[in-house]
Amino acid sequence: MTQDVDLPRRIAYQGEPGANSHIACADAYPDWEAMACASFEDAFAAVTDGRAGLAMIPIDNTLAGRVADIHHFLPTSGLHIVGEYFLPIHFDLLAVPGATLDTITEVHSHVHALGQCRRIIRERGLRPVIAGDTAGAAREVAEWGDPTKAALATPLAARTYGLQTLSTAVEDEEHNTTRFVVLSQQPQTAPRGDWPTVTTFVFNVRNIPAALYKALGGFATNGINMTKLESYMVGGTFTATMFLAEVDGHPEEPALARALEELAFFSTDVQVMGVYPAHPHRFAEA
C-alpha cells in the first residue's frame, strides 16, 4: 500500500499502549509509529486532520460479533478502507510482582475480554470488574500495586506496565480472532487481478416491497459471494435502514460490476467504502 508523502507514518488506534489494537498496528505496520487514542472518534479524527496517516479499527470479532458504533462512524467519516488485518486474540492473567494465583480475588478487563475468559474466572472464583480497555485495566492494576487485583490483558501490556504473568492464553476459545480495517484519507483501490480483493459498500434500499430481495438478487445471479450484510437504523427512525455489505471481488470485474449496477437500481446512496486486498487469514479459514 502506498501513502501520501505529506502524511506522517503514524497509525492511530483506540485504546492504551498494550491493547490488541496496538498489537495489530505493530504487526501490520512495524515501521510506523502507533498512536494511542482515547476513543474511536479520536482515532478517526487523527486521520481526518492529518495527525496520522492511517487508523487501525476493529470491526468484527469471532466471539463478540460486530464492534459497536463502527458501522455508524464509517459512512460519515469521509475515510476509506484500504486494507484489513486479522489478529488472533490471546489474553494472559496479569498481576503485580509478588502476587500469585492464590492472592488474587478480582480481575479487571474490558467487558468482551471478561466474557471471553469465563472459564478461568469461574475456576479461580474471581470477581470480574469491567474496565474501559484491556490495556487500561493492566495499567490500573500496576498503579494500585495490590496483589489481590489482576487484569486480563495482552503479553504486550504485561511488558508495558511491568506486570507478571500468572497464567497464559486463558481465553475460552482458540479461534478468538478480531478483524481490523485500515482507514485512510485517500482511497487506494487495489489493482484488479494481482490478489483476491474485498469490496465494502453501504446502501439504503428504496421504500418499495421486496426492495432488499431485489437489490441483492444481482449478487446471486452473477455468482458473487457476499461475506457480510449488516443492517442498522439511521436518522432516528425505524423506517430508514442502512446496510453495510462486503463481497469477494473487484468492481472492475464484469460480474461484480453488473451486480452493483442492479443494486443501484433498487437502492439509494450506494457508497463504496473500499476495494482492498483480502488478508491471507481468509484463505486459512476456507
Side-chain angles (χ1 to χ4, degrees):
M1 190 195 69
T2 59
Q3 183 207 14
D4 191 320
V5 295
D6 294 329
L7 294 177
R9 291 176 65 83
R10 185 178 301 125
I11 181 165
Y13 67 93
Q14 185 276 326
E16 298 193 30
N20 281 303
S21 294
H22 185 188
I23 294 174
C25 292
D27 286 353
Y29 295 88
D31 298 330
W32 289 44
E33 176 189 351
M35 177 182 178
C37 297
S39 66
F40 289 124
E41 294 97 325
D42 290 341
F44 279 66
V47 178
T48 300
D49 63 25
R51 287 177 291 126
L54 299 172
M56 180 75 72
I57 302 295
I59 191 169
D60 296 296
N61 177 268
T62 53
L63 294 181
R66 73 181 185 182
V67 177
D69 297 331
I70 297 304
H71 298 72
H72 291 276
F73 295 150
L74 276 175
T76 58
S77 68
L79 302 180
H80 305 269
I81 302 175
V82 297
E84 65 176 359
Y85 186 73
F86 288 76
L87 178 71
I89 302 299
H90 301 293
F91 293 112
D92 289 353
L93 186 63
L94 310 177
V96 295
T100 68
L101 287 173
D102 294 328
T103 65
I104 60 172
T105 59
E106 64 183 40
V107 60
H108 299 248
S109 198
H110 187 273
V111 62
H112 285 170
L114 294 171
Q116 293 165 18
C117 302
R118 290 189 177 95
R119 186 183 301 114
I120 192 168
I121 294 173
R122 182 179 65 253
E123 290 175 351
R124 303 303 307 181
L126 302 174
R127 184 171 73 90
V129 181
I130 296 174
D133 178 285
T134 57
R139 175 183 53 77
E140 290 176 337
V141 166
E143 291 173 349
W144 292 327
D146 186 341
T148 68
K149 302 182 188 299
L152 287 167
T154 67
L156 177 58
R159 297 191 298 270
T160 301
Y161 301 109
L163 297 176
Q164 68 169 339
T165 301
L166 301 182
S167 189
T168 62
V170 297
E171 62 275 3
D172 294 339
E173 302 290 344
E174 293 182 359
H175 64 75
N176 188 7
T177 302
T178 294
R179 174 177 173 249
F180 294 81
V181 290
V182 182
L183 304 179
S184 172
Q185 272 194 32
Q186 301 299 324
Q188 298 177 23
T189 301
R192 174 187 172 188
D194 285 2
W195 181 262
T197 52
V198 179
T199 298
T200 298
F201 55 93
V202 293
F203 64 96
N204 291 325
V205 294
R206 297 184 184 278
N207 190 21
I208 59 176
L212 180 60
Y213 173 80
K214 294 175 182 177
L216 298 181
F219 296 95
T221 56
N222 285 284
I224 301 299
N225 183 34
M226 181 170 287
T227 57
K228 174 191 285 292
L229 181 65
E230 300 273 4
S231 66
Y232 51 99
M233 300 300 176
V234 294
T237 72
F238 288 96
T239 57
T241 303
M242 179 171 282
F243 294 88
L244 183 145
E246 291 180 351
V247 296
D248 292 340
H250 196 288
E252 294 177 2
E253 296 168 353
L256 183 51
R258 289 192 298 268
L260 290 172
E261 182 178 2
E262 191 166 338
L263 171 70
F265 184 78
F266 292 103
S267 306
T268 61
D269 303 322
V270 178
Q271 178 184 355
V272 175
M273 298 296 303
V275 181
Y276 48 94
H279 189 269
H281 185 88
R282 289 180 177 267
F283 313 120
E285 290 182 330

